Amino acid sequence: PQADNLRAQLAKLGNTPFEVGGILSGEGSDIELNFSRNWFLPASVVADWRRQAVDKLVSVRRINYRRETAVWKSTKHAFPTTSLTYLGNVMNNAARNFYLAHGVSSVAPAYEAQAVPDAALMFCKHCLRFSMGWCPTHQKGRSPYREPYYLVGTDGKRFKLAFDCKNCQMKVYAE
C-alpha cells in the first residue's frame, strides 16, 4: 500500500500559489485516491504529474488574471524646495515640466546632460578609509598613502574621493 506516500507526493506544492484542501472540500481536507487496484506508481512519475498539473493551473490563472491599470492623477501640491541643482537628476522635459508645475522656479539639468565643474557625483555612507581601517574618527589606523585617493574605471576615467568625516560620508567627484 502506497496511498500515504502518494498523498505526501501530491501535497508537495511548495513554492506555488496552491495548497491541499481549500474552499470546496473544507479546511484540512486530505487528498482522495480512488484506485481499482493497488497500483505501483514511482514517486518520480507522481512528482512529474504534479509539476505538469501545477504548470497548467498557473497558465490558466495567468490567462484569466485581470490586472488593474494605473491611472495618472494630476497633482497640484508644491514641491518642498524652489530650486533644483544637478542633483535633482532632471534629464528630460517631462521631468522639468513636472517640477515647474509644482512650484520649482529653477531647474538645473542632470549632470549627464550638462556637466557641472567640481560636482560631487555620488555621496556614500560606505567609506573606503573606514573599510581599510584608516578612519580618523572611528579607528586608530593611519593610511600609508597620501591623499587624495582616486577610483579608476576600466576605461581609464579617474574619480577623486573626498571624505566628510563630520557627516561620515565619502564623496566621489569627476576629475
Side-chain angles (χ1 to χ4, degrees):
Q2 63 172 353
D4 290 340
N5 183 38
L6 288 172
R7 285 186 187 96
Q9 289 296 323
L10 292 171
K12 290 182 180 178
L13 295 172
N15 193 19
T16 70
F18 307 108
E19 60 186 40
V20 175
I23 297 170
L24 296 177
S25 55
E27 282 301 317
S29 67
D30 204 358
I31 295 173
E32 187 178 318
L33 300 173
N34 294 317
F35 288 125
S36 59
R37 292 188 191 156
N38 190 17
W39 298 101
F40 172 75
L41 298 171
S44 61
V45 172
V46 175
D48 187 46
W49 287 346
R50 182 194 66 239
R51 279 191 286 275
Q52 290 177 26
V54 167
D55 288 345
K56 288 182 181 182
L57 287 169
V58 167
S59 65
V60 168
R61 285 186 69 173
R62 283 191 184 126
I63 290 169
N64 294 325
Y65 180 72
R66 300 237 182 262
R67 186 176 198 163
E68 290 183 31
T69 55
V71 177
W72 174 259
K73 293 181 182 177
S74 179
T75 59
K76 299 292 180 198
H77 61 278
F79 195 72
T81 62
T82 58
S83 67
L84 283 175
T85 66
Y86 71 98
L87 294 172
N89 204 28
V90 178
M91 190 67 179
N92 59 44
N93 281 334
R96 180 177 168 71
N97 291 337
F98 171 85
Y99 288 113
L100 292 173
H102 288 81
V104 178
S105 57
S106 171
V107 180
Y111 183 87
E112 293 84 358
Q114 180 180 340
V116 177
D118 300 321
L121 301 179
M122 186 169 29
F123 302 83
C124 308
K125 282 293 184 185
H126 175 78
C127 176
L128 291 181
R129 282 202 306 194
F130 182 84
S131 295
M132 301 299 286
W134 306 331
C135 176
T137 306
H138 300 287
Q139 300 161 326
K140 297 191 189 267
R142 296 186 60 111
S143 170
Y145 307 105
R146 276 189 332 185
E147 291 189 26
Y149 301 134
Y150 293 88
L151 295 175
V152 181
T154 55
D155 59 356
K157 289 185 181 177
R158 290 172 27 122
F159 300 92
K160 184 178 177 180
L161 302 180
F163 302 94
D164 179 1
C165 294
K166 179 181 176 191
N167 295 314
C168 201
Q169 220 176 40
M170 180 180 76
K171 296 178 183 177
V172 180
Y173 292 89
E175 190 173 73

